[in-house]
Amino acid sequence: MKKYELVKDIEVMYVPAQSFPEGILAAFEKLETKLVSTGDRTFFGLSSPNKNGNIMYKAATDEKYSGEGKKYELDNFTIRKGTYLSELIKDYKKDVQQIGVGFQQLPDHPELDTNSYCLEWYKGDDVLCLVKLDPLKEEHMKQKPLKTDR
């Protein structure tokens, strides 16, 4: 587990999955069919629980220009800059279940932003699993005094 600093917001357009995790692949396939080209795109997966506790998933890609999502009749979302905890999954296609395992290692951190989302950042054959840290909790943790026996 490493900290990862996202220095600027990323505007994305997305297709929601009909179910989780079963509908993830279909959502990415639908997203790709709506695009003219996928060669120079970065792909993301965004997930978070709804008010009923069900996981809502979005298959997303970066917008190349403002308003591109509307052109393709896709909804938009902003991946917020900030500090994230990360876990890199190498060659994820060999065992897609490792993505879930990667996220299971991240959510128990005391600085976690519980109002945020889980983020998958696809980088070739690898995927970077990210969870956002709460800047207020993070600042508090920096100022917390070290415990001693004295």
Side-chain angles (χ1 to χ4, degrees), residues 18-126:
Q18 296 298 313
S19 61
F20 179 86
E22 301 82 13
I24 293 174
L25 182 59
F28 275 107
E29 288 171 347
K30 184 175 180 180
L31 176 63
E32 289 179 7
T33 62
K34 288 188 168 268
L35 304 172
V36 172
S37 170
T38 60
D40 62 341
R41 296 240 179 228
T42 302
F43 287 90
F44 304 91
L46 299 146
S47 59
S48 60
N50 66 10
K51 62 183 176 183
N52 299 325
N54 298 319
I55 301 294
M56 307 306 293
Y57 188 92
K58 299 173 174 93
T61 189
D62 54 331
E63 267 197 325
K64 295 298 182 188
Y65 55 87
S66 181
E68 185 182 21
K70 288 185 182 193
K71 173 184 172 185
Y72 293 117
E73 299 177 346
L74 296 170
D75 290 322
N76 291 80
F77 185 83
T78 303
I79 298 171
R80 295 287 174 205
K81 67 182 176 181
T83 305
Y84 290 75
L85 282 181
S86 69
E87 188 71 32
L88 181 65
I89 308 299
K90 295 266 190 193
D91 206 6
Y92 74 93
K93 291 180 183 177
K94 285 185 179 178
D95 184 6
V96 177
Q97 301 302 321
Q98 287 303 306
I99 296 173
V101 172
F103 278 114
Q104 287 174 358
Q105 296 175 23
L106 298 173
D108 291 335
H109 198 279
E111 299 173 37
L112 184 69
D113 183 346
T114 54
N115 295 315
S116 191
Y117 42 83
C118 292
L119 172 63
E120 300 160 13
W121 188 332
Y122 292 90
K123 297 174 173 257
D125 292 334
D126 303 334

